[in-house]
PDB file of all heavy atoms in Angstrom:
ATOM      1  N   ASN A 131      48.473 104.853  85.895  1.00 62.00           N
ATOM      2  CA  ASN A 131      47.638 104.683  87.080  1.00 62.00           C
ATOM      3  C   ASN A 131      46.178 104.670  86.624  1.00 62.00           C
ATOM      4  O   ASN A 131      45.641 105.695  86.204  1.00 62.00           O
ATOM      5  CB  ASN A 131      47.896 105.839  88.058  1.00 62.00           C
ATOM      6  CG  ASN A 131      47.178 105.656  89.377  1.00 62.00           C
ATOM      7  OD1 ASN A 131      46.001 105.280  89.407  1.00 62.00           O
ATOM      8  ND2 ASN A 131      47.878 105.927  90.469  1.00 62.00           N
ATOM      9  N   ASP A 132      45.535 103.489  86.688  1.00 50.00           N
ATOM     10  CA  ASP A 132      44.173 103.341  86.173  1.00 50.00           C
ATOM     11  C   ASP A 132      43.166 104.163  86.964  1.00 50.00           C
ATOM     12  O   ASP A 132      42.174 104.650  86.414  1.00 50.00           O
ATOM     13  CB  ASP A 132      43.759 101.864  86.191  1.00 50.00           C
ATOM     14  CG  ASP A 132      44.602 101.038  85.230  1.00 50.00           C
ATOM     15  OD1 ASP A 132      45.039 101.614  84.214  1.00 50.00           O
ATOM     16  OD2 ASP A 132      44.833  99.848  85.499  1.00 50.00           O
ATOM     17  N   VAL A 133      43.420 104.326  88.259  1.00 54.00           N
ATOM     18  CA  VAL A 133      42.482 105.084  89.103  1.00 54.00           C
ATOM     19  C   VAL A 133      42.489 106.559  88.731  1.00 54.00           C
ATOM     20  O   VAL A 133      41.446 107.192  88.566  1.00 54.00           O
ATOM     21  CB  VAL A 133      42.825 104.905  90.600  1.00 54.00           C
ATOM     22  CG1 VAL A 133      41.896 105.753  91.461  1.00 54.00           C
ATOM     23  CG2 VAL A 133      42.737 103.425  90.992  1.00 54.00           C
ATOM     24  N   LEU A 134      43.709 107.117  88.586  1.00 57.00           N
ATOM     25  CA  LEU A 134      43.841 108.540  88.260  1.00 57.00           C
ATOM     26  C   LEU A 134      43.905 108.786  86.763  1.00 57.00           C
ATOM     27  O   LEU A 134      43.851 109.936  86.325  1.00 57.00           O
ATOM     28  CB  LEU A 134      45.095 109.116  88.924  1.00 57.00           C
ATOM     29  CG  LEU A 134      45.151 109.028  90.459  1.00 57.00           C
ATOM     30  CD1 LEU A 134      46.499 109.539  90.960  1.00 57.00           C
ATOM     31  CD2 LEU A 134      44.016 109.831  91.079  1.00 57.00           C
ATOM     32  N   ASP A 135      43.997 107.699  85.992  1.00 55.00           N
ATOM     33  CA  ASP A 135      44.160 107.806  84.537  1.00 55.00           C
ATOM     34  C   ASP A 135      45.322 108.735  84.198  1.00 55.00           C
ATOM     35  O   ASP A 135      45.207 109.676  83.408  1.00 55.00           O
ATOM     36  CB  ASP A 135      42.863 108.300  83.887  1.00 55.00           C
ATOM     37  CG  ASP A 135      42.915 108.142  82.361  1.00 55.00           C
ATOM     38  OD1 ASP A 135      43.652 107.256  81.906  1.00 55.00           O
ATOM     39  OD2 ASP A 135      42.243 108.911  81.662  1.00 55.00           O
ATOM     40  N   LYS A 136      46.456 108.449  84.848  1.00 67.00           N
ATOM     41  CA  LYS A 136      47.625 109.302  84.697  1.00 67.00           C
ATOM     42  C   LYS A 136      48.877 108.443  84.528  1.00 67.00           C
ATOM     43  O   LYS A 136      49.009 107.402  85.174  1.00 67.00           O
ATOM     44  CB  LYS A 136      47.753 110.192  85.945  1.00 67.00           C
ATOM     45  CG  LYS A 136      48.794 111.279  85.838  1.00 67.00           C
ATOM     46  CD  LYS A 136      48.756 112.151  87.093  1.00 67.00           C
ATOM     47  CE  LYS A 136      49.782 113.265  87.009  1.00 67.00           C
ATOM     48  NZ  LYS A 136      49.784 114.120  88.207  1.00 67.00           N
ATOM     49  N   LYS A 137      49.762 108.875  83.650  1.00 70.00           N
ATOM     50  CA  LYS A 137      50.999 108.132  83.424  1.00 70.00           C
ATOM     51  C   LYS A 137      51.921 108.245  84.635  1.00 70.00           C
ATOM     52  O   LYS A 137      52.050 109.303  85.239  1.00 70.00           O
ATOM     53  CB  LYS A 137      51.723 108.663  82.181  1.00 70.00           C
ATOM     54  CG  LYS A 137      51.032 108.327  80.873  1.00 70.00           C
ATOM     55  CD  LYS A 137      51.830 108.857  79.697  1.00 70.00           C
ATOM     56  CE  LYS A 137      51.151 108.506  78.379  1.00 70.00           C
ATOM     57  NZ  LYS A 137      51.902 109.055  77.212  1.00 70.00           N
ATOM     58  N   MET A 138      52.555 107.113  84.979  1.00 72.00           N
ATOM     59  CA  MET A 138      53.559 107.113  86.042  1.00 72.00           C
ATOM     60  C   MET A 138      54.923 107.254  85.377  1.00 72.00           C
ATOM     61  O   MET A 138      55.320 106.412  84.567  1.00 72.00           O
ATOM     62  CB  MET A 138      53.469 105.814  86.843  1.00 72.00           C
ATOM     63  CG  MET A 138      52.165 105.659  87.600  1.00 72.00           C
ATOM     64  SD  MET A 138      52.110 104.160  88.622  1.00 72.00           S
ATOM     65  CE  MET A 138      52.133 102.883  87.356  1.00 72.00           C
ATOM     66  N   ILE A 139      55.610 108.349  85.721  1.00 86.00           N
ATOM     67  CA  ILE A 139      56.864 108.682  85.046  1.00 86.00           C
ATOM     68  C   ILE A 139      58.009 108.768  86.042  1.00 86.00           C
ATOM     69  O   ILE A 139      57.869 109.340  87.126  1.00 86.00           O
ATOM     70  CB  ILE A 139      56.735 110.017  84.285  1.00 86.00           C
ATOM     71  CG1 ILE A 139      55.610 109.919  83.245  1.00 86.00           C
ATOM     72  CG2 ILE A 139      58.044 110.388  83.604  1.00 86.00           C
ATOM     73  CD1 ILE A 139      55.304 111.227  82.554  1.00 86.00           C
ATOM     74  N   ASP A 140      59.134 108.196  85.660  1.00 92.00           N
ATOM     75  CA  ASP A 140      60.351 108.257  86.462  1.00 92.00           C
ATOM     76  C   ASP A 140      61.344 109.168  85.744  1.00 92.00           C
ATOM     77  O   ASP A 140      61.597 108.995  84.550  1.00 92.00           O
ATOM     78  CB  ASP A 140      60.935 106.854  86.636  1.00 92.00           C
ATOM     79  CG  ASP A 140      62.114 106.840  87.581  1.00 92.00           C
ATOM     80  OD1 ASP A 140      62.036 107.477  88.636  1.00 92.00           O
ATOM     81  OD2 ASP A 140      63.133 106.186  87.252  1.00 92.00           O
ATOM     82  N   TYR A 141      61.897 110.148  86.466  1.00 95.00           N
ATOM     83  CA  TYR A 141      62.858 111.075  85.872  1.00 95.00           C
ATOM     84  C   TYR A 141      64.247 110.837  86.448  1.00 95.00           C
ATOM     85  O   TYR A 141      64.420 110.630  87.657  1.00 95.00           O
ATOM     86  CB  TYR A 141      62.447 112.521  86.142  1.00 95.00           C
ATOM     87  CG  TYR A 141      61.210 112.952  85.403  1.00 95.00           C
ATOM     88  CD1 TYR A 141      59.970 112.976  86.034  1.00 95.00           C
ATOM     89  CD2 TYR A 141      61.277 113.348  84.066  1.00 95.00           C
ATOM     90  CE1 TYR A 141      58.819 113.380  85.354  1.00 95.00           C
ATOM     91  CE2 TYR A 141      60.132 113.744  83.386  1.00 95.00           C
ATOM     92  CZ  TYR A 141      58.917 113.758  84.033  1.00 95.00           C
ATOM     93  OH  TYR A 141      57.785 114.158  83.356  1.00 95.00           O
ATOM     94  N   ASN A 142      65.238 110.877  85.569  1.00 96.00           N
ATOM     95  CA  ASN A 142      66.635 110.734  85.967  1.00 96.00           C
ATOM     96  C   ASN A 142      67.468 111.714  85.140  1.00 96.00           C
ATOM     97  O   ASN A 142      67.026 112.198  84.098  1.00 96.00           O
ATOM     98  CB  ASN A 142      67.142 109.318  85.711  1.00 96.00           C
ATOM     99  CG  ASN A 142      66.370 108.275  86.478  1.00 96.00           C
ATOM    100  OD1 ASN A 142      66.642 108.039  87.636  1.00 96.00           O
ATOM    101  ND2 ASN A 142      65.391 107.643  85.837  1.00 96.00           N
ATOM    102  N   TYR A 143      68.661 111.976  85.630  1.00 98.00           N
ATOM    103  CA  TYR A 143      69.573 112.790  84.825  1.00 98.00           C
ATOM    104  C   TYR A 143      70.971 112.213  84.883  1.00 98.00           C
ATOM    105  O   TYR A 143      71.322 111.457  85.800  1.00 98.00           O
ATOM    106  CB  TYR A 143      69.574 114.256  85.274  1.00 98.00           C
ATOM    107  CG  TYR A 143      70.201 114.524  86.621  1.00 98.00           C
ATOM    108  CD1 TYR A 143      71.577 114.701  86.767  1.00 98.00           C
ATOM    109  CD2 TYR A 143      69.415 114.627  87.770  1.00 98.00           C
ATOM    110  CE1 TYR A 143      72.154 114.958  87.998  1.00 98.00           C
ATOM    111  CE2 TYR A 143      69.979 114.896  89.011  1.00 98.00           C
ATOM    112  CZ  TYR A 143      71.349 115.065  89.112  1.00 98.00           C
ATOM    113  OH  TYR A 143      71.914 115.318  90.333  1.00 98.00           O
ATOM    114  N   MET A 144      71.770 112.563  83.881  1.00 98.00           N
ATOM    115  CA  MET A 144      73.177 112.173  83.846  1.00 98.00           C
ATOM    116  C   MET A 144      74.018 113.388  83.494  1.00 98.00           C
ATOM    117  O   MET A 144      73.572 114.282  82.771  1.00 98.00           O
ATOM    118  CB  MET A 144      73.408 111.050  82.832  1.00 98.00           C
ATOM    119  CG  MET A 144      72.710 109.752  83.192  1.00 98.00           C
ATOM    120  SD  MET A 144      73.222 108.347  82.165  1.00 98.00           S
ATOM    121  CE  MET A 144      74.838 107.994  82.878  1.00 98.00           C
ATOM    122  N   GLU A 145      75.224 113.411  84.030  1.00 98.00           N
ATOM    123  CA  GLU A 145      76.155 114.500  83.749  1.00 98.00           C
ATOM    124  C   GLU A 145      76.981 114.113  82.527  1.00 98.00           C
ATOM    125  O   GLU A 145      77.685 113.108  82.535  1.00 98.00           O
ATOM    126  CB  GLU A 145      77.058 114.703  84.970  1.00 98.00           C
ATOM    127  CG  GLU A 145      77.786 116.015  84.985  1.00 98.00           C
ATOM    128  CD  GLU A 145      78.342 116.337  86.357  1.00 98.00           C
ATOM    129  OE1 GLU A 145      77.576 116.325  87.352  1.00 98.00           O
ATOM    130  OE2 GLU A 145      79.552 116.600  86.433  1.00 98.00           O
ATOM    131  N   VAL A 146      76.863 114.917  81.460  1.00 97.00           N
ATOM    132  CA  VAL A 146      77.492 114.553  80.184  1.00 97.00           C
ATOM    133  C   VAL A 146      78.178 115.762  79.567  1.00 97.00           C
ATOM    134  O   VAL A 146      77.904 116.913  79.929  1.00 97.00           O
ATOM    135  CB  VAL A 146      76.449 113.998  79.184  1.00 97.00           C
ATOM    136  CG1 VAL A 146      75.737 112.786  79.769  1.00 97.00           C
ATOM    137  CG2 VAL A 146      75.434 115.064  78.779  1.00 97.00           C
ATOM    138  N   ALA A 147      79.065 115.500  78.607  1.00 97.00           N
ATOM    139  CA  ALA A 147      79.664 116.550  77.793  1.00 97.00           C
ATOM    140  C   ALA A 147      78.966 116.561  76.440  1.00 97.00           C
ATOM    141  O   ALA A 147      78.691 115.501  75.871  1.00 97.00           O
ATOM    142  CB  ALA A 147      81.156 116.319  77.615  1.00 97.00           C
ATOM    143  N   ILE A 148      78.653 117.761  75.945  1.00 98.00           N
ATOM    144  CA  ILE A 148      78.035 117.891  74.626  1.00 98.00           C
ATOM    145  C   ILE A 148      78.930 118.733  73.719  1.00 98.00           C
ATOM    146  O   ILE A 148      79.741 119.535  74.194  1.00 98.00           O
ATOM    147  CB  ILE A 148      76.635 118.527  74.697  1.00 98.00           C
ATOM    148  CG1 ILE A 148      76.706 119.938  75.338  1.00 98.00           C
ATOM    149  CG2 ILE A 148      75.664 117.641  75.449  1.00 98.00           C
ATOM    150  CD1 ILE A 148      75.412 120.733  75.231  1.00 98.00           C
ATOM    151  N   ASP A 149      78.758 118.521  72.402  1.00 97.00           N
ATOM    152  CA  ASP A 149      79.486 119.353  71.439  1.00 97.00           C
ATOM    153  C   ASP A 149      78.631 120.552  71.047  1.00 97.00           C
ATOM    154  O   ASP A 149      77.544 120.758  71.594  1.00 97.00           O
ATOM    155  CB  ASP A 149      79.920 118.532  70.226  1.00 97.00           C
ATOM    156  CG  ASP A 149      78.734 117.963  69.440  1.00 97.00           C
ATOM    157  OD1 ASP A 149      77.602 118.446  69.595  1.00 97.00           O
ATOM    158  OD2 ASP A 149      78.961 117.018  68.651  1.00 97.00           O
ATOM    159  N   MET A 150      79.063 121.320  70.079  1.00 97.00           N
ATOM    160  CA  MET A 150      78.387 122.563  69.710  1.00 97.00           C
ATOM    161  C   MET A 150      77.032 122.331  69.056  1.00 97.00           C
ATOM    162  O   MET A 150      76.239 123.259  68.919  1.00 97.00           O
ATOM    163  CB  MET A 150      79.287 123.390  68.793  1.00 97.00           C
ATOM    164  CG  MET A 150      80.513 123.942  69.504  1.00 97.00           C
ATOM    165  SD  MET A 150      81.703 124.697  68.380  1.00 97.00           S
ATOM    166  CE  MET A 150      80.683 125.951  67.612  1.00 97.00           C
ATOM    167  N   ASN A 151      76.770 121.094  68.656  1.00 97.00           N
ATOM    168  CA  ASN A 151      75.462 120.754  68.092  1.00 97.00           C
ATOM    169  C   ASN A 151      74.501 120.222  69.145  1.00 97.00           C
ATOM    170  O   ASN A 151      73.350 119.909  68.846  1.00 97.00           O
ATOM    171  CB  ASN A 151      75.617 119.725  66.976  1.00 97.00           C
ATOM    172  CG  ASN A 151      76.430 120.260  65.812  1.00 97.00           C
ATOM    173  OD1 ASN A 151      76.230 121.379  65.372  1.00 97.00           O
ATOM    174  ND2 ASN A 151      77.370 119.453  65.327  1.00 97.00           N
ATOM    175  N   GLY A 152      74.997 120.062  70.380  1.00 97.00           N
ATOM    176  CA  GLY A 152      74.165 119.518  71.446  1.00 97.00           C
ATOM    177  C   GLY A 152      74.216 118.003  71.537  1.00 97.00           C
ATOM    178  O   GLY A 152      73.465 117.404  72.311  1.00 97.00           O
ATOM    179  N   ASP A 153      75.094 117.379  70.755  1.00 98.00           N
ATOM    180  CA  ASP A 153      75.215 115.915  70.779  1.00 98.00           C
ATOM    181  C   ASP A 153      76.115 115.476  71.932  1.00 98.00           C
ATOM    182  O   ASP A 153      77.163 116.103  72.194  1.00 98.00           O
ATOM    183  CB  ASP A 153      75.797 115.399  69.463  1.00 98.00           C
ATOM    184  CG  ASP A 153      74.888 115.701  68.276  1.00 98.00           C
ATOM    185  OD1 ASP A 153      73.653 115.635  68.456  1.00 98.00           O
ATOM    186  OD2 ASP A 153      75.407 116.009  67.183  1.00 98.00           O
ATOM    187  N   ILE A 154      75.735 114.399  72.608  1.00 97.00           N
ATOM    188  CA  ILE A 154      76.524 113.876  73.728  1.00 97.00           C
ATOM    189  C   ILE A 154      77.792 113.215  73.201  1.00 97.00           C
ATOM    190  O   ILE A 154      77.742 112.370  72.311  1.00 97.00           O
ATOM    191  CB  ILE A 154      75.698 112.872  74.555  1.00 97.00           C
ATOM    192  CG1 ILE A 154      74.494 113.575  75.191  1.00 97.00           C
ATOM    193  CG2 ILE A 154      76.562 112.224  75.638  1.00 97.00           C
ATOM    194  CD1 ILE A 154      73.540 112.637  75.895  1.00 97.00           C
ATOM    195  N   VAL A 155      78.933 113.608  73.768  1.00 96.00           N
ATOM    196  CA  VAL A 155      80.209 113.026  73.345  1.00 96.00           C
ATOM    197  C   VAL A 155      80.908 112.275  74.476  1.00 96.00           C
ATOM    198  O   VAL A 155      81.856 111.536  74.238  1.00 96.00           O
ATOM    199  CB  VAL A 155      81.154 114.122  72.792  1.00 96.00           C
ATOM    200  CG1 VAL A 155      80.585 114.723  71.516  1.00 96.00           C
ATOM    201  CG2 VAL A 155      81.412 115.214  73.827  1.00 96.00           C
ATOM    202  N   HIS A 156      80.432 112.462  75.725  1.00 95.00           N
ATOM    203  CA  HIS A 156      81.058 111.748  76.848  1.00 95.00           C
ATOM    204  C   HIS A 156      80.109 111.735  78.048  1.00 95.00           C
ATOM    205  O   HIS A 156      79.401 112.719  78.296  1.00 95.00           O
ATOM    206  CB  HIS A 156      82.371 112.426  77.243  1.00 95.00           C
ATOM    207  CG  HIS A 156      83.227 111.604  78.165  1.00 95.00           C
ATOM    208  ND1 HIS A 156      84.037 110.584  77.712  1.00 95.00           N
ATOM    209  CD2 HIS A 156      83.380 111.650  79.501  1.00 95.00           C
ATOM    210  CE1 HIS A 156      84.658 110.037  78.755  1.00 95.00           C
ATOM    211  NE2 HIS A 156      84.272 110.666  79.844  1.00 95.00           N
ATOM    212  N   TYR A 157      80.091 110.619  78.770  1.00 95.00           N
ATOM    213  CA  TYR A 157      79.293 110.490  80.001  1.00 95.00           C
ATOM    214  C   TYR A 157      80.227 110.565  81.204  1.00 95.00           C
ATOM    215  O   TYR A 157      81.228 109.848  81.280  1.00 95.00           O
ATOM    216  CB  TYR A 157      78.541 109.154  80.024  1.00 95.00           C
ATOM    217  CG  TYR A 157      77.396 109.085  79.032  1.00 95.00           C
ATOM    218  CD1 TYR A 157      77.626 108.700  77.715  1.00 95.00           C
ATOM    219  CD2 TYR A 157      76.098 109.398  79.413  1.00 95.00           C
ATOM    220  CE1 TYR A 157      76.578 108.646  76.802  1.00 95.00           C
ATOM    221  CE2 TYR A 157      75.046 109.337  78.513  1.00 95.00           C
ATOM    222  CZ  TYR A 157      75.294 108.957  77.210  1.00 95.00           C
ATOM    223  OH  TYR A 157      74.260 108.910  76.305  1.00 95.00           O
ATOM    224  N   PHE A 158      79.892 111.432  82.167  1.00 95.00           N
ATOM    225  CA  PHE A 158      80.704 111.568  83.363  1.00 95.00           C
ATOM    226  C   PHE A 158      80.125 110.806  84.551  1.00 95.00           C
ATOM    227  O   PHE A 158      80.854 110.497  85.497  1.00 95.00           O
ATOM    228  CB  PHE A 158      80.864 113.043  83.732  1.00 95.00           C
ATOM    229  CG  PHE A 158      81.661 113.833  82.726  1.00 95.00           C
ATOM    230  CD1 PHE A 158      81.106 114.921  82.079  1.00 95.00           C
ATOM    231  CD2 PHE A 158      82.964 113.481  82.420  1.00 95.00           C
ATOM    232  CE1 PHE A 158      81.831 115.648  81.157  1.00 95.00           C
ATOM    233  CE2 PHE A 158      83.704 114.194  81.494  1.00 95.00           C
ATOM    234  CZ  PHE A 158      83.133 115.281  80.855  1.00 95.00           C
ATOM    235  N   THR A 159      78.823 110.536  84.547  1.00 91.00           N
ATOM    236  CA  THR A 159      78.216 109.742  85.620  1.00 91.00           C
ATOM    237  C   THR A 159      78.054 108.307  85.144  1.00 91.00           C
ATOM    238  O   THR A 159      77.721 108.064  83.989  1.00 91.00           O
ATOM    239  CB  THR A 159      76.838 110.306  86.025  1.00 91.00           C
ATOM    240  OG1 THR A 159      76.075 110.579  84.851  1.00 91.00           O
ATOM    241  CG2 THR A 159      76.975 111.589  86.811  1.00 91.00           C
TER     242      THR A 159
END
Side-chain angles (χ1 to χ4, degrees):
N131 186 316
D132 295 330
V133 177
L134 300 176
D135 192 26
K136 189 176 181 181
K137 289 181 179 178
M138 295 183 294
I139 301 174
D140 186 44
Y141 291 99
N142 300 277
Y143 70 85
M144 295 191 76
E145 197 164 306
V146 302
I148 59 170
D149 63 18
M150 291 171 58
N151 297 315
D153 297 323
I154 296 174
V155 295
H156 193 81
Y157 289 86
F158 294 121
T159 47

